[in-house]
Amino acid sequence: MVGIVQARMGSSRLPGKVLRPLAGRSVLGRVVRAARDSGALAELVVATSTDPVDDAVVDECRRLDVPWHRGPVDDVLARFVGALDAHPGDAVLRFTADCPLLDPEIVALVAAVYRAVPGLDYASTSIARTLPRGLDVEIVRADVLRTLDRLATGHHRVHVTSYAYTHPELFRVLGVTLTPDRSDLRLTLDTEQDWALVRAVTDHFGDVSVPLAELADWLDGQPALRALNAGVRQKRLEES
């Protein structure tokens, strides 16, 4: 299984977020560490773009000693296929570089579920969401990713796997849910409000990957922090 982290400097709401520092480590660096610490991956690669602004992402990949692949700015699916061509595997664990609070234990759990169910095309925690946004895990079979590359158009090429889970009649899709339901928490990084919450978390816990249960328990006692980004609207699937 190969892990692919999509990362680029461009962001409509929070430019440069993937290289912002958190407790002495970049946002991308935290995602890379969590992915590696899961123990689920034979290899990990960062998929960034050919835009010159993303030279900074490549520089950070060198510093992190993680390979990278560069492809189209807006065709993220093509980037993933190119990364898979260069770093083959039987399945792809997809990561986004705006999830600095990713929990390695959850990554390992979903990978184990995927391995335990023969013939799966796609597995994800976001189909019936119980996890906070920012901790989701998704896995797609490598040959299915290539099928998506042939079939997907428009916004499906930006969201990489969305054609699979919006066409369950064509693919064997599994939704993984974890209890208790903590989907009311928003732990991704897309706006300045998100940044304020994530930075408060890392200021408290430091440069470590925090298990979700521990993080959620702490946030239960921090209503003011939870309120920081509670009103942030997540973009619809059709919005790039």
Side-chain angles (χ1 to χ4, degrees):
M1 191 177 292
V2 59
I4 301 179
V5 185
Q6 63 186 74
R8 67 184 188 92
M9 295 296 284
S11 166
S12 59
R13 297 203 277 191
L14 199 63
K17 61 185 177 182
V18 302
L19 295 187
R20 286 194 177 196
L22 286 168
R25 188 183 300 262
S26 70
V27 170
L28 176 59
R30 291 181 67 97
V31 175
V32 165
R33 178 182 61 186
R36 285 172 165 166
D37 287 353
S38 72
L41 302 174
E43 192 166 9
L44 181 68
V45 57
V46 172
T48 191
S49 90
T50 53
D51 190 319
V53 73
D54 288 325
D55 292 349
V57 174
V58 170
D59 289 342
E60 179 67 353
C61 289
R62 289 193 181 99
R63 201 184 67 78
L64 296 168
D65 194 27
V66 62
W68 65 88
H69 169 79
R70 305 186 77 163
V73 172
D74 296 320
D75 190 345
V76 190
L77 178 52
R79 263 194 266 156
F80 267 69
V81 172
L84 180 62
D85 287 343
H87 304 270
D90 65 331
V92 170
L93 231 164
R94 179 192 176 214
F95 301 99
T96 59
D98 54 4
C99 298
L101 301 179
L102 191 67
D103 184 344
E105 295 176 11
I106 295 175
V107 177
L109 175 63
V110 178
V113 170
Y114 174 84
R115 291 293 193 207
V117 182
L120 274 185
D121 293 328
Y122 175 80
S124 172
T125 58
S126 61
I127 292 172
R129 177 183 302 282
T130 58
L131 290 177
R133 195 172 292 277
L135 273 77
D136 283 308
V137 180
E138 58 178 332
I139 302 172
V140 60
R141 197 152 48 89
D143 58 344
V144 171
L145 186 72
R146 298 185 193 284
T147 298
L148 298 180
D149 188 40
R150 293 194 298 272
L151 296 176
T153 58
H155 65 270
H156 290 305
R157 302 201 66 83
V158 175
H159 296 286
V160 182
T161 56
S162 58
Y163 192 91
Y165 60 76
T166 57
H167 292 80
E169 73 282 3
L170 300 178
F171 302 99
R172 193 172 184 211
V173 172
L174 178 70
V176 181
T177 58
L178 288 82
T179 56
D181 186 345
R182 297 187 174 103
S183 57
D184 59 316
L185 292 174
R186 179 180 170 85
L187 301 177
T188 189
L189 184 56
D190 195 38
T191 67
E192 287 291 350
Q193 297 99 307
D194 295 333
W195 173 250
L197 186 148
V198 168
R199 190 173 55 187
V201 169
T202 57
D203 284 349
H204 177 77
F205 287 99
D207 185 29
V208 295
S209 295
V210 186
L212 173 57
E214 183 180 351
L215 176 53
D217 285 348
W218 181 72
L219 284 171
D220 279 346
Q222 306 288 333
L225 276 186
R226 294 200 313 274
L228 284 174
N229 65 351
V232 174
R233 183 184 71 83
Q234 187 67 22
K235 290 181 180 180
R236 297 189 309 275
L237 185 63
E238 294 79 9
E239 296 178 286
S240 59

